[in-house]
Amino acid sequence: MPRRTLALSLAVALPLIAQTAWAVDDEPWKKPGWEPITEQERQPASPDEVANSAVDVREHNGIRYLTGGLGAGERAWLKQHGPSYPVALQFSKGERGAFVSSVEVNIRAADGETRFEATTDGPMIYIDLPAGRYTATASYQGHDRDFTLQVPTSGRTSHSINFP
């Protein structure tokens, strides 16, 4: 290929390559695996949906907890009733941060003894843990995330955990 033809080909191709690279980096909706949010997902839950989405209070080792968050109604109900619990955890995956459920949560006291275990029914869990310092592990589809929890005597601690 003569030099002049090669130079002309590069002059035409390089801007297209650069534009494609820019789109992939700055426009995540053009990346493979991107899932658009539906119009229904954008709508806030109605008061009836919230009222009908109550989750049961559960207990493990004497520690009460709420878990769920599947659907706008359930998420809204948990956000209304969860603040009385001193620990709030939310789980997601990937770059978009899509909510995930069936996350195994294990919380251990300073002595290493397991104080709390549960598998989530949605992307959110609120736990009524006593004040103190804990180590925790969240597991989802073979991926573990270790973190520490400092539960205050008043107020609450929140963590968002993202998996690959």
Side-chain angles (χ1 to χ4, degrees):
M1 180 180 290
R3 279 189 188 182
R4 185 175 180 165
T5 305
L6 178 61
L8 183 58
S9 297
L10 285 175
V12 169
L14 284 176
L16 293 174
I17 293 169
Q19 182 179 9
T20 303
W22 173 82
V24 169
D25 290 340
D26 293 342
E27 298 175 349
W29 57 89
K30 292 186 178 180
K31 290 183 178 181
W34 177 262
E35 300 170 14
I37 295 173
T38 66
E39 191 59 37
Q40 183 180 2
E41 289 175 311
R42 293 179 203 276
Q43 301 303 313
S46 71
D48 287 341
E49 285 177 297
V50 175
N52 293 329
S53 298
V55 300
D56 294 329
V57 176
R58 298 182 186 180
E59 191 173 304
H60 177 80
N61 284 346
I63 298 171
R64 297 175 330 124
Y65 69 99
L66 302 170
T67 182
L70 297 175
E74 217 172 82
R75 282 192 302 277
W77 189 91
L78 285 168
K79 286 183 180 182
Q80 285 179 2
H81 295 86
S84 63
Y85 291 72
V87 176
L89 305 175
Q90 182 173 293
F91 304 101
S92 61
K93 72 174 185 174
E95 287 182 31
R96 179 176 179 229
F99 285 143
V100 295
S101 63
S102 300
V103 176
E104 296 172 16
V105 178
N106 181 293
I107 300 175
R108 299 166 302 284
D111 63 4
E113 182 180 335
T114 297
R115 292 281 291 142
F116 178 82
E117 283 182 308
T119 300
T120 66
D121 287 343
M124 305 162 104
I125 188 166
Y126 293 85
I127 309 166
D128 194 13
L129 267 178
R133 185 171 178 80
Y134 301 89
T135 56
T137 302
S139 303
Y140 176 73
Q141 294 185 346
H143 298 281
D144 293 341
R145 293 287 187 256
D146 296 319
F147 55 101
T148 59
L149 287 172
Q150 182 65 47
V151 181
T153 53
S154 65
R156 85 175 188 189
T157 183
S158 299
H159 291 273
S160 293
I161 293 103
N162 187 267
F163 296 96

